[in-house]
Each structure stands twice: as C-alpha cells, then as structure tokens.
C-alpha cells in the first residue's frame, strides 16, 4: 500500500486513511489505487466485517490532486479503468458496510464518495463543497442522481450548481451526514458504530445493504424480493444462532459459523 494511504485492521474493522495532510489529502492516482485495493481486499477478507474511510491531520480530502489529475485525466469512455474509477467501483461494489468519518475539508470527490457510503459522521469543523461547475466540469459518479434523490433538486443544486460550501450543521440538516461530533469524539463514535455492525450476522447485513442500494422499481417487486430473502434467511445458520441467542438471553456469536 502507498504510505499516503494507511490501512489498519482490528476488531474486524478495516480503517483506510488518506495520509497526505501537507497537501490537504488531495488524492493522486497512486492513492486511489491503494485505497481501491484496500477496500477490495477488505471486502474479500472474512476477518473484516466493516470498512471505515477517513483522513489524517484534521482533513478528509480536498479532492483530486489537480497536477496529478491533469497529467493523465481519466478517459471515462469505458475503454480503460483509471485509478479513480477503480476506487469508485470498489466503493460501489463493496458488499460490507462502509462508514465515512469526515473531519475538516471534504471537497469534490470527497463529497461524491459519501453518497456511496452506508453511514457518514463528521466533526463540527467539517465543510463540504463540490466545485465541479466552478471548474467548468460536470458532476461525477452519479452525484447528479444521488444528490437530488437524497436532498431534493433545489437543495442538491446548492452543491452542484451554486457550488455552495456546506457547514457540518447544514450537512446534517440535509442528510448528507448522519451525526456531528467534536473532532476528538469523531473516530470513537465511528468505531462504536463499526463495532455494532461487526457483531451482526454478516450475510444478513450484506443482503440488507444490497436491498437498500438496489435501484428503485415497483414496490410490489421489492416486497417480493424481500420476502424471498427473508425466507432464505429463516433457513440460515445465522438465523438459527440469532434465535438460539435470543432464547438463551446471550449475545449471538456469528464468528463460530465460519
């Protein structure tokens, strides 16, 4: 892994940290590749249950390193997979829960990627900005769909058209982040959430995430799909352990299921 992307795995939680604070954690091709590999490896590893994305030095990320980006801009034509595409595909394809811990600046793709995380927490000194139109660029990686769907068109336009900077308070108000903490409390808040997720039935958790991430369709189709998966889980070793733990008044132990 690149020294500018730190990877730590403990308590079934993989923490991936952008580590270039002298450059506001601006992301280079090497950093994208390292982070993508860390996500994919964690998603394959049965010892990892949850993935955390964060940044070192009181900064999440200032987005793309412009010099590095301009040296080899991603083609986005489907003929090759650039490092940034590799990273976003790894995030999009992750079956395990991904939590973002935002402290300080989150700019450009640093905001876009949050829409593809499952939980987002930030410190009260965080700020969020997507200056795509300001740079004569278009929105990226589904943000023109995910943000209007999440916030409503006129609120999403504050970010995508006006290029407004959102405070932590505004981010929580709109639903971009789930909770705001002090900087000192951020990582422990995030790790507590990760520990709760890591203790849950991993297959059931993956199925619930996949259902939530599934493209909208007729409600009757979704109910039918949920019903099939619910019935399958009733026959699973995970449910047998959860039911036994409930009857025995103990915490379930899904690790023993392998």
């Amino acid at each position: 892994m690149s020294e500018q992307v730190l990877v730590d795995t403990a308590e079934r939680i993989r923490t991936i940290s952008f580590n270039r604070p002298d450059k506001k954690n601006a992301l280079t091709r090497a950093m994208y590749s390292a982070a993508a590999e860390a996500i994919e490896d964690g998603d394959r590893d049965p010892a990892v249950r949850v993935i955390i994305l964060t940044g070192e030095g009181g900064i999440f990320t200032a987005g793309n390193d412009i010099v590095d980006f301009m040296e080899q801009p991603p083609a986005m034509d489907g003929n090759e997979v650039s490092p940034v595409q590799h990273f976003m595909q790894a995030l999009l394809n992750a079956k395990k829960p991904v939590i973002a811990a935002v402290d300080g600046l989150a700019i450009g793709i640093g905001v876009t990627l949050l829409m593809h995380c499952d939980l987002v927490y930030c410190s009260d000194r965080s700020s969020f900005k997507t200056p795509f139109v300001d740079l004569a660029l278009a929105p990226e990686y589904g943000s023109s769909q995910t943000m209007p769907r999440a916030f409503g068109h006129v609120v999403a336009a504050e970010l995508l058209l006006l290029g407004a900077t959102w405070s932590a308070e505004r981010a929580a108000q709109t639903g971009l982040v789930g909770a705001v903490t002090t900087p000192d409390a951020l990582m422990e808040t995030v790790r507590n959430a990760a520990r709760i997720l890591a203790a849950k039935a991993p297959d059931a958790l993956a199925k619930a995430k996949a259902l939530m991430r599934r493209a909208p369709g007729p409600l009757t189709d979704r109910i039918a799909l949920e019903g099939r998966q619910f019935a399958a889980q009733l026959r699973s070793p995970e449910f047998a352990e959860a039911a036994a733990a409930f009857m025995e008044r103990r915490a379930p132990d899904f690790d023993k299921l392998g």
Side-chain angles (χ1 to χ4, degrees):
M1 297 295 175
S2 165
E3 65 181 13
Q4 294 176 341
V5 174
L6 305 179
V7 181
D8 175 72
T9 302
E11 299 182 285
R12 299 174 294 186
I13 301 161
R14 169 155 295 191
T15 303
I16 302 168
S17 303
F18 305 131
N19 184 40
R20 199 186 177 208
D22 57 315
K23 298 294 184 181
K24 299 182 179 179
N25 290 337
L27 299 168
T28 63
R29 284 167 286 167
M31 291 173 71
Y32 279 124
S33 294
E37 290 166 8
I39 292 171
E40 290 172 337
D41 179 67
D43 210 40
R44 288 190 297 264
D45 187 347
V48 174
R49 297 284 181 83
V50 185
I51 296 168
I52 295 172
L53 292 178
T54 192
E56 296 292 313
I59 301 165
F60 187 57
T61 174
N64 288 310
D65 181 295
I66 296 298
V67 174
D68 184 85
F69 187 78
M70 292 305 296
E71 284 180 359
Q72 190 175 330
M76 304 289 198
D77 57 8
N79 293 325
E80 61 177 309
V81 177
S82 69
V84 63
Q85 288 172 295
H86 183 194
F87 170 75
M88 289 304 296
Q89 286 175 4
L91 182 58
L92 282 162
N93 294 333
K95 295 180 175 62
K96 296 174 182 176
V98 179
I99 307 176
V102 179
D103 186 22
L105 292 175
I107 298 177
I109 199 164
V111 179
T112 302
L113 71 84
L114 301 179
M115 305 305 298
H116 304 291
C117 295
D118 300 295
L119 292 169
V120 181
Y121 298 87
C122 79
S123 72
D124 55 17
R125 66 183 177 186
S126 298
S127 60
F128 306 81
K129 184 178 178 66
T130 57
F132 304 122
V133 173
D134 294 347
L135 295 170
L137 297 171
E140 60 180 6
Y141 293 106
S143 56
S144 64
Q145 176 174 301
T146 57
M147 290 185 182
R149 182 178 293 165
F151 314 138
H153 179 91
V154 296
V155 175
E158 293 178 15
L159 283 177
L160 295 178
L161 302 185
L162 280 178
T165 298
W166 280 2
S167 65
E169 181 182 12
R170 180 63 171 154
Q173 181 187 52
T174 62
L176 176 61
V177 304
V180 180
T181 74
T182 64
D184 290 344
L186 177 62
M187 288 310 298
E188 189 55 30
T189 299
V190 170
R191 289 192 183 101
N192 280 338
R195 291 183 192 107
I196 291 169
L197 290 173
K200 294 182 184 294
D203 191 50
L205 195 60
K207 283 184 168 62
K209 170 173 174 166
L211 283 166
M212 292 177 68
R213 290 286 175 182
R214 195 177 181 87
L219 185 58
T220 53
D221 291 352
R222 180 61 61 90
I223 291 170
L225 176 59
E226 289 171 341
R228 291 193 296 272
Q229 295 198 357
F230 190 97
Q233 284 300 118
L234 283 174
R235 299 188 294 273
S236 72
E238 287 185 349
F239 177 73
E241 168 60 14
F246 177 80
M247 297 299 292
E248 295 164 13
R249 297 183 180 181
R250 61 173 175 82
D253 179 9
F254 298 108
D255 287 338
K256 67 183 182 182
L257 302 180

